[in-house]
Amino acid sequence: MTATVRGERDTVGLAPPGPGRPWHARLLGPAAFTAIAVLALVVAPLALEPFRLGLLAKYLCYAIVALGIGLAWGQGGMLTLGQGVFFGLGGYAMGMYLKLHDAGGHLPDFMVWSGVEKLPPLWVPFGNPVFAIAFAVAGPVLLALLLGTLVFRQRVRGAYFAILTQALAAATVILLVGQQGLTGGTNGLTNFFDLFGQDLAADETQRGLYLVVAAVLGLLYLVARQLVRSRFGRLLVAIRDGEDRVRFLGYDPATVKTVTFAVSAGMAGLAGALFVPVVGIISPALLGVVPSLELVVAVAVGGRFSLAGAVLGAVVMGYAKTSFSEQFADGWLYLQGALFILVMTLAPKGLLGLAARARDLLPSRRRA
Amino acid sequence: MNGALLEVRGLRVEFDGFRAIDGVDLTVEQGELRFLIGPNGAGKTTLIDVITGLTRPAAGSVRFEGWDLVGRREHEIVRMGVGRTFQTSVVFEQLTVTENLDLAASFRRPLWALARRRRGVSEAVDAAMRTTGLTELAGRPAGVLSHGQRQWLEIGMLIAQRPRLLLLDEPVAGMSGEERVRTGELLTEIAKDHTVIVIEHDMDFLRRYASQVTVLHEGKVLVEGSVEQVRADPRVQEVYLGRRAEPGTDAGAGPGPAGGPAEAPDAGPVVGTSVGEGM
């Protein structure tokens, strides 16, 4: 009669460690985090040549976005295919500031080429770096709050939510491309020279930027991890696995999802703002449907149910994309698609899930 | 007002023209343990769905402590003090037993306070765990629990919510004999200091643990009274008991016994299947 017990969903694996675990197991996470932090903040800047360090900084920017996706999708079950929009919002905010700063009171170069004669009112506040950086986070957060309130209250979810966010990404690109004089059109905003009095082309500046990106990522990781392990995080997982049931626990899933979505959007916005001085450009091609999807794929490959997996996926896939594209220009798309299918069918928990499974196998063998 | 805890008046629910509930009145007093029985399709689960905001009635009112519940959203009704379980127990398999109970106990905390990590086990959670006998399983993911344990966890979550009215939808469905006894004891325990409405199919269970019974049939209240009164009522025997050759077994289990001609007409589609959909 009650044969519809929901499938034996894997309950072992990446569940967060409870207080019942032995001390060495509990120290494993912090130890790994410290090791990676030292590697990223001390070893990498010394060992990598500037070009490679710049690439790593770019991947780490993507990793910040991935962290947000891990939170929204991995934990909360919201498959957001439009994180590029938030990333772009942050990127353009930063880009606008840099353009205005470089122009030094004149019109930014691309506006002159487009025949714009007076600085558009929309641009005026972005001359202030504090406003620009604040907007890079607050803009995406507010947009996500608005979107979440409208969408989640109406109980739009699953594929419908995914399609909606993807449509948002597509629409944003059209909007940006169409407003040549305001946004730089297809070219976007580029040719930046100076950041807070530092030459952006200098290795020193780039190294400093890399350190900032790495530190921000580490900090946000800790914040996200705290959130995941809190009651809020447990609630998020509960909503992912049984939203309708959560209502009968007295919570409004729409509020929880909206807040989470906003946090992930804020992360993407901040990542965008960091990305612009690191890479030197923000354009529609960097935030449309394809880049948004690529990040979701990266999170899936790394392991979406764990924040570390999301970060790992973004770095690994970013690195793989660069090195693979250096040899076979068009091959990457196919490899990426194949990887995604492979992961989704064979290892739904991604690389990190595989690692955890390997770890689980070892001691049991020893005991046997 | 000093009225009853729950007052349902003139309730009517329609699904595509089919009247699942057709003019039901129900009054449940503070502290009562009320059993709701009736054949499949009688509207029992639908009634609970309406009380908890899952289904909207076409007409009628549902008053809880004087407040109208109709039109309120599910979580708001829970926050007012009405909790429920589902026929098919739905617990969060990825979370541990403690975490499941803790979430149920924490909904009164403001959202920002939820961003802190849980330290230890709260009193409400501990009490619920002891009442349901799940203490030993505290750290296990709910996904590994047996069917019976899941039902108890769900009842435990309900207790942890500290509601003023508990609605249990077939708590012993699919349970073994031993589990039924345990659940019955649990129910008796809970009913001491809670107001409880139980939907139950199992006549054996009913005889043992029920006092006040409301019989629903085809969306209407057929009889209301004590177990003895209800069992003695010829109308109940006709639509309900008489239909079953062997009280205590589930309807439709095994080949239908001879002389059960009433099986087909009102067994119909189970109206309550909407519960737990999408879970």
Side-chain angles (χ1 to χ4, degrees), chain A residues 114-185:
Chain A
S114 311
V116 175
E117 287 169 359
K118 200 170 147 287
L119 190 68
L122 181 69
W123 274 67
V124 174
F126 289 93
N128 183 332
V130 177
F131 177 86
I133 292 173
F135 182 89
V137 179
V141 167
L142 290 177
L143 179 61
L145 284 179
L146 179 74
L147 206 69
T149 308
L150 291 174
V151 166
F152 296 134
R153 254 187 93 90
Q154 296 303 316
R155 304 191 181 178
V156 173
R157 58 189 173 199
Y160 299 99
F161 175 74
I163 290 167
L164 202 117
T165 51
Q166 187 163 60
L168 186 70
T172 307
V173 169
I174 292 169
L175 193 73
L176 287 171
V177 171
Q179 302 291 318
Q180 175 86 25
L182 198 63
T183 63

Side-chain angles (χ1 to χ4, degrees), chain B residues 80-97:
Chain B
M80 293 174 74
V82 181
R84 72 172 290 180
T85 63
F86 290 88
Q87 253 173 48
T88 332
S89 66
V90 209
V91 295
F92 301 107
E93 302 184 352
Q94 306 278 314
L95 306 184
T96 64
V97 168

Side-chain angles (χ1 to χ4, degrees), chain B residues 263-277:
Chain B
E263 182 67 39
D266 58 7
V270 184
V271 177
T273 42
S274 66
V275 189
E277 87 186 350

Side-chain angles (χ1 to χ4, degrees), chain B residues 80-148:
Chain B
M80 293 174 74
V82 181
R84 72 172 290 180
T85 63
F86 290 88
Q87 253 173 48
T88 332
S89 66
V90 209
V91 295
F92 301 107
E93 302 184 352
Q94 306 278 314
L95 306 184
T96 64
V97 168
T98 309
E99 285 169 343
N100 268 284
L101 291 167
D102 184 71
L103 272 190
S106 300
F107 71 88
R108 289 185 186 85
R109 294 171 197 261
L111 197 63
W112 54 264
L114 294 176
R116 284 209 302 269
R117 271 174 85 169
R118 175 175 60 82
R119 300 267 173 228
V121 174
S122 71
E123 207 178 300
V125 171
D126 189 51
M129 204 133 54
R130 270 187 284 114
T131 310
T132 51
L134 292 169
T135 311
E136 276 176 25
L137 296 163
R140 306 292 300 278
V144 306
L145 300 186
S146 73
H147 174 72

Side-chain angles (χ1 to χ4, degrees), chain A residues 58-360:
Chain A
K58 180 169 123 178
Y59 307 149
L60 293 189
C61 286
Y62 286 137
I64 296 176
V65 186
L67 193 62
I69 296 176
L71 208 55
W73 181 36
Q75 303 294 316
M78 293 170 271
L79 178 52
T80 157
L81 300 182
Q83 288 307 90
V85 174
F86 305 123
F87 179 80
L89 216 52
Y92 271 89
M94 193 64 184
M96 283 156 87
Y97 161 69
L98 291 176
K99 276 320 255 188
L100 288 173
H101 181 64
D102 282 341
H106 299 279
L107 273 186
D109 48 13
F110 76 90
M111 285 192 188
V112 178
W113 305 331
S114 311
V116 175
E117 287 169 359
K118 200 170 147 287
L119 190 68
L122 181 69
W123 274 67
V124 174
F126 289 93
N128 183 332
V130 177
F131 177 86
I133 292 173
F135 182 89
V137 179
V141 167
L142 290 177
L143 179 61
L145 284 179
L146 179 74
L147 206 69
T149 308
L150 291 174
V151 166
F152 296 134
R153 254 187 93 90
Q154 296 303 316
R155 304 191 181 178
V156 173
R157 58 189 173 199
Y160 299 99
F161 175 74
I163 290 167
L164 202 117
T165 51
Q166 187 163 60
L168 186 70
T172 307
V173 169
I174 292 169
L175 193 73
L176 287 171
V177 171
Q179 302 291 318
Q180 175 86 25
L182 198 63
T183 63
T186 319
N187 298 330
L189 305 177
T190 184
N191 291 330
F192 310 116
F193 301 104
D194 185 282
L195 175 70
F196 304 133
Q198 306 293 312
D199 179 8
L200 267 175
D203 290 349
E204 272 317 300
T205 313
Q206 284 301 323
R207 184 171 302 155
L209 274 170
Y210 164 80
L211 288 175
V212 170
V213 173
V216 167
L217 172 61
L219 213 69
L220 288 179
Y221 174 79
L222 290 179
V223 170
R225 183 172 166 277
Q226 164 69 20
L227 203 60
V228 165
R229 296 195 168 188
S230 70
R231 283 199 173 94
F232 187 91
R234 307 289 82 202
L235 186 56
L236 200 54
V237 170
I239 290 171
R240 179 190 75 197
D241 293 346
E243 181 167 343
D244 294 324
R245 180 68 179 87
V246 169
R247 295 181 212 287
F248 291 98
L249 293 186
Y251 302 96
D252 186 3
T255 312
V256 178
K257 288 169 85 171
T258 303
V259 169
T260 310
F261 188 45
V263 170
S264 85
M267 286 182 177
L270 188 56
L274 292 168
F275 179 90
V276 169
V278 167
V279 180
I281 184 171
I282 184 75
S283 72
L286 290 166
L287 55 89
V289 171
V290 174
S292 300
L293 268 177
E294 277 184 327
L295 277 166
V296 170
V297 171
V299 170
V301 169
R304 67 183 154 121
F305 295 115
S306 114
L307 297 173
V311 170
L312 180 77
V315 176
V316 167
M317 291 299 269
Y319 183 74
K321 181 181 182 178
T322 308
S323 43
F324 203 80
S325 305
E326 277 169 4
Q327 276 135 39
F328 322 91
D330 293 332
W332 171 244
L333 261 181
Y334 297 102
L335 182 68
Q336 191 183 30
L339 256 177
F340 183 58
I341 293 170
L342 224 69
V343 163
M344 284 320 236
T345 50
L346 297 179
K349 286 179 175 179
L351 292 175
L352 223 72
L354 288 178
R357 205 188 297 173
R359 196 190 58 209
D360 286 349

Side-chain angles (χ1 to χ4, degrees), chain B residues 38-52:
Chain B
N40 275 343
K44 306 180 299 287
T45 297
T46 308
L47 179 56
I48 284 198
D49 286 352
V50 171
I51 295 171
T52 54

Side-chain angles (χ1 to χ4, degrees), chain B residues 217-238:
Chain B
H217 178 54
E218 290 177 347
K220 294 190 171 85
V221 173
L222 190 68
V223 193
E224 211 166 63
S226 70
V227 185
E228 293 73 28
Q229 284 172 329
V230 167
R231 287 185 65 211
D233 195 295
R235 286 170 299 173
V236 177
Q237 288 175 356
E238 187 191 327

